[in-house]
Amino acid sequence: MSKSLPKRSENYSEWYNELVKRADLAENSAVRGCMVIKPYGYSIWEKMQRALDDMFKETGHTNAYFPLFVPKSLFEAEEKNAEGFAKECAVVTHYRLKNNPEKPGKLMVDPEAKLEEELIVRPTSEAIIWSTYKNWIQSYRDLPLLINQWANVVRWEMRTRLFLRTAEFLWQEGHTAHATREEAIAETEQMLHVYATFAEEFMAVPVIRGKKTANERFAGAEDTYCIEAMMQDGKALQAGTSHFLGQNFAKAFDVKFMTKENKQDFVWGTSWGVSTRLMGALIMAHSDDEGLILPPKLAPIQVVIVPIFKGQEQLELISNTILPIVKELKKRGISVKFDNSDKQSPGFKFAEYELKGVPVRLAIGARDLGNGTVEVARRDTKEKKTYPIEGIVDTISTLLDDIQVNIYQRAFNFRTENTYKVDTWEEFTKILEETPGFIAAHWDGTSETEEKIKELTKATIRCIPLDAVEEEGKCILTGQPSSKRVIFAKSY
Amino acid sequence: MSKSLPKRSENYSEWYNELVKRADLAENSAVRGCMVIKPYGYSIWEKMQRALDDMFKETGHTNAYFPLFVPKSLFEAEEKNAEGFAKECAVVTHYRLKNNPEKPGKLMVDPEAKLEEELIVRPTSEAIIWSTYKNWIQSYRDLPLLINQWANVVRWEMRTRLFLRTAEFLWQEGHTAHATREEAIAETEQMLHVYATFAEEFMAVPVIRGKKTANERFAGAEDTYCIEAMMQDGKALQAGTSHFLGQNFAKAFDVKFMTKENKQDFVWGTSWGVSTRLMGALIMAHSDDEGLILPPKLAPIQVVIVPIFKGQEQLELISNTILPIVKELKKRGISVKFDNSDKQSPGFKFAEYELKGVPVRLAIGARDLGNGTVEVARRDTKEKKTYPIEGIVDTISTLLDDIQVNIYQRAFNFRTENTYKVDTWEEFTKILEETPGFIAAHWDGTSETEEKIKELTKATIRCIPLDAVEEEGKCILTGQPSSKRVIFAKSY
């Protein structure tokens, strides 16, 4: 172990960057803005993928794969729908390199291999997918079409941060087509709830389910739903979005169908996505100055067992006791690592597994063996307790469930403590400066006011919560009447 | 169902193309050379991925993710190792589009957003990965490094065919680093055997395990191992390769490590991959003029149950009997579809599931109910039999195992019947013209002869089988002495 992590309280941002690297989650690559997701980080992402994919399939979706490239002309058809990120993208203009005649050993773009039409590396796949759906959909019998894709996408970001904002990232994008407006809205809402359930039950991150204001909406959408999570610095992180597209993309790509009543109509669309950004949310929501804290449901290693021994004989004695426990844990689907290497000291190992966020650590030495006990440390509370070896598998199993619940509850309490109901502009600005968090406040419903507030405070409306209560109030900035509170925060 | 498929005997190539489209496996996209993998096709690929991924993990590998782009300078370092496809690739030269001032509504590449260094869309990831490994490997303690990546890659192919050769395709690429030559060779061979086991046990496709000749070797490799399968037209399809890279990439990217003996040495590398090309092999190895034939282990739907009914009442009676069977099948991990839709006739459904290659079909009507029986049809032999409903789940389970074995055996017999031991040039050319297949023949070991044979017959040396017997012989073309037979064939 090298030097310790920066402290959250001193430099939250540095703490995050260092943690991502030291815990072997990801690192910057030789390509500007693109990251390498390292094996340990990727194994967490795989667990996320598996859980989400199961939920998508349970709700009737299937996976497919569409091309990486979008021809410029298709992009133009979509452009008015997706102005936001449409233009900052990677453009393929040539299809060959050749030896540079002037510089031996060097390559150059072959000017004779210029594409007739430029290809854009997909920043999102609406254009290519809706242009395909045109051929797949003729009649109401072809609907709904419920398709998801796991893919890499590229958006040319100028300022990047590992997981939170990278030029290339991994994500899933669902693209569905429906016969009616109501069905498409129901789908949009269903997928928002799938994301919220995943965030809360697997990531142990409580989220607010809401709608974006017109300003923050995906350009091609009639409505954008989102889940918003609070990080430990009080900032919000948008963890997933689900868009009701109306008939916008169907019109842009001429996707019509024959209704049951034998009429031609445009289909109704949705799209929804979460990305490797979730890794950032997971890390920032729970971890501490010693390293990661992972919820057991997403931890690649749920239990680590560290033997404390001198010499091969002691190790063998410990192994005799431990190996049947390892076997039994695996049988129950609990992932366990018995770290019997003699290259590092137990202290080194403890620090390493703390850094990596392993939820439960067992330590056992010769004296424990004699007593028939084992020391159990939980990562979330750092509590250590001695338990009898007899029944230890049940103990661990219960403990993992406890940790999952506790991590969620802690994040929930943190959010509650850092959420403020505010009715005056003075209080609003004071909180944002002194104790950032979520602010539930009234807003007059106009984009002008929203922008003005952003300009003055850097806070944006994260969402209009789906469960917002109707109440009479006045906009914190303009004093104009308002009927419900929205959530303001600074955000990632 | 529209018109029937082209017949294999009349136009094998058209039969394949049509089958891929009609069975909803894949189609061409709006992007030249790139395919859309449709949901049914993708669900087969997912099953392949899952099985392979499990095998990779069982052999100690973990997944990671490296950038899509390779900076041109890294490409140059690798170039001498990978001349083959290195130059036909998608080149990103710009990072922004802008509105075209002369054509309202149109976009153009922003000339001000030219990249300082061009980025290549990865045709394979050796360059980016080995440049990363340089930072990950310092000591023998960091070895072996056993990493796999699931990714999309792009090679600018001029003539493309769905699954078999596409500009973009999906694959996995393993990249490992080792402390010794022996270890790296053992890894290369292990992964070849993993591929062969997968092909034979899951795809039910028998393969020959062998080494490529120097001519056919991956440019950066010291040795390329491969598995070769025979398609129903007698042609060979290379279904997977595993490369022993020696120290070539370590030298190109300066990846050194401290040995146990405290010396600096270059690390030893391997890489190995299979791609969506396997889909092509799967389709062409087994299917017939009625459609796909899928091995049960990779079939998205293993069993379909088609009720034959008039009116809701009959359907309900049938459902009462069938639903508990469906439940029991699912409990055993067998994927089953009960197709109770009344939109299509049973005959239409039969043809559809035949086209889709569902291994087992049950049909049950009112009369069967009375008799306590059900009609069971197997896709591979088209045999139909009536079985008692009592015990049907066991019957189906056994049948699925039988089909998996039978499909393999049939392909194995086909290969045996179409493999020829040949000792004269006359016979060699005659077989290639009249009854193409695998030809085991002697070769003098020179690249010149190999090329000459290719020129004269279009047949290449598919591999030098690992289990080739030592025997004295004479090269079929030159008459020079040879000590073992190699496999010649025309290939995909």
Side-chain angles (χ1 to χ4, degrees), chain B residues 426-489:
Chain B
E426 200 186 347
E427 208 189 342
F428 187 84
T429 51
K430 189 165 173 240
I431 285 171
L432 283 172
E433 267 165 42
E434 292 172 13
T435 53
F438 286 2
I439 300 181
H442 281 282
W443 159 64
D444 65 17
T446 69
S447 292
E448 295 70 40
T449 303
E450 188 181 3
E451 273 159 26
K452 186 83 190 164
I453 293 174
K454 186 176 176 184
E455 213 181 288
L456 293 169
T457 66
K458 290 188 185 152
T460 50
I461 299 177
R462 301 318 303 154
C463 69
I464 306 157
L466 296 187
D467 60 1
V469 190
E470 293 280 328
E471 62 171 37
E472 279 184 28
K474 286 179 179 172
C475 174
I476 37 154
L477 186 70
T478 64
Q480 293 297 309
S482 148
S483 65
K484 51 175 100 159
R485 289 174 189 270
V486 299
I487 301 295
F488 285 93

Side-chain angles (χ1 to χ4, degrees), chain A residues 351-461:
Chain A
E352 183 67 17
Y353 294 116
E354 223 164 54
L355 180 62
K356 293 277 180 78
V358 177
V360 171
R361 180 190 78 213
L362 271 59
I364 184 164
R367 200 177 310 157
D368 301 293
L369 267 193
N371 297 335
T373 60
V374 57
E375 188 195 79
V376 179
R378 50 190 286 180
R379 176 65 183 89
D380 59 337
T381 58
K382 295 193 191 156
E383 201 180 356
K384 280 189 220 169
K385 259 191 187 172
T386 300
Y387 288 96
I389 290 174
E390 176 97 32
I392 192 67
V393 171
D394 285 330
T395 307
I396 291 171
S397 178
T398 308
L399 197 53
L400 288 170
D401 292 344
D402 279 1
I403 294 173
Q404 183 79 29
V405 171
N406 179 57
I407 294 180
Y408 175 82
Q409 197 56 48
R410 198 157 69 178
F412 185 86
N413 293 344
F414 180 84
R415 189 184 73 183
T416 307
E417 285 157 22
N418 292 283
T419 299
Y420 308 89
K421 252 193 191 179
V422 168
D423 290 310
T424 68
W425 181 249
E426 200 186 345
E427 206 186 343
F428 187 85
T429 51
K430 189 165 174 243
I431 286 172
L432 283 172
E433 268 166 41
E434 292 174 13
T435 53
F438 286 1
I439 301 181
H442 281 282
W443 159 63
D444 66 15
T446 70
S447 292
E448 295 71 39
T449 302
E450 188 180 3
E451 273 160 25
K452 186 83 189 162
I453 293 174
K454 186 176 176 182
E455 212 181 287
L456 293 168
T457 66
K458 289 188 184 154
T460 51
I461 300 179

Side-chain angles (χ1 to χ4, degrees), chain B residues 197-382:
Chain B
T197 303
F198 171 76
E200 299 190 336
E201 291 186 4
F202 286 83
M203 296 172 64
V205 173
V207 292
I208 295 182
R209 306 167 194 213
K211 282 191 191 185
K212 289 286 183 197
T213 62
N215 262 0
E216 303 274 330
R217 204 178 277 156
F218 172 53
E222 280 195 25
D223 241 328
T224 289
Y225 293 68
C226 62
I227 52 172
E228 296 283 329
M230 185 185 288
M231 303 295 99
Q232 289 179 70
D233 60 354
K235 279 189 177 172
L237 189 145
Q238 174 181 300
T241 47
S242 184
H243 310 291
F244 168 58
L245 304 174
Q247 295 176 312
N248 291 341
F249 283 90
K251 286 177 180 166
F253 292 95
D254 192 33
V255 187
K256 288 183 194 156
F257 75 108
M258 187 69 77
T259 67
K260 270 188 191 164
E261 295 74 30
N262 231 18
K263 288 180 187 160
Q264 286 279 318
D265 195 6
F266 288 107
V267 307
W268 300 83
T270 85
S271 68
W272 29 275
V274 296
S275 73
T276 35
R277 197 162 206 241
L278 289 180
M279 292 287 295
L282 183 73
I283 297 159
M284 285 204 292
H286 304 305
S287 305
D288 65 18
D289 295 350
E290 276 71 48
L292 285 180
I293 293 180
L294 293 176
K297 285 193 187 174
L298 295 176
I301 305 167
Q302 295 173 305
V303 180
V304 65
I305 306 178
V306 178
I308 296 164
F309 62 100
K310 278 194 190 116
Q312 205 52 34
E313 203 175 321
Q314 277 196 2
L315 177 59
E316 244 166 63
L317 279 174
I318 296 173
S319 299
N320 289 344
T321 300
I322 290 303
L323 291 179
I325 294 171
V326 168
K327 204 173 156 187
E328 183 60 25
L329 285 169
K330 284 186 180 162
K331 221 167 110 186
R332 295 213 196 169
I334 295 171
S335 66
V336 52
K337 178 173 176 182
F338 178 38
D339 184 351
N340 58 6
S341 136
D342 59 1
K343 285 185 191 141
Q344 288 112 10
S345 70
F348 180 96
K349 291 178 184 175
F350 288 2
E352 183 67 17
Y353 293 115
E354 223 164 55
L355 180 62
K356 295 275 180 80
V358 177
V360 172
R361 179 188 80 214
L362 271 59
I364 184 165
R367 200 178 309 158
D368 301 294
L369 267 193
N371 297 335
T373 60
V374 57
E375 189 196 79
V376 179
R378 51 190 283 181
R379 176 65 184 89
D380 58 337
T381 59
K382 294 192 193 157

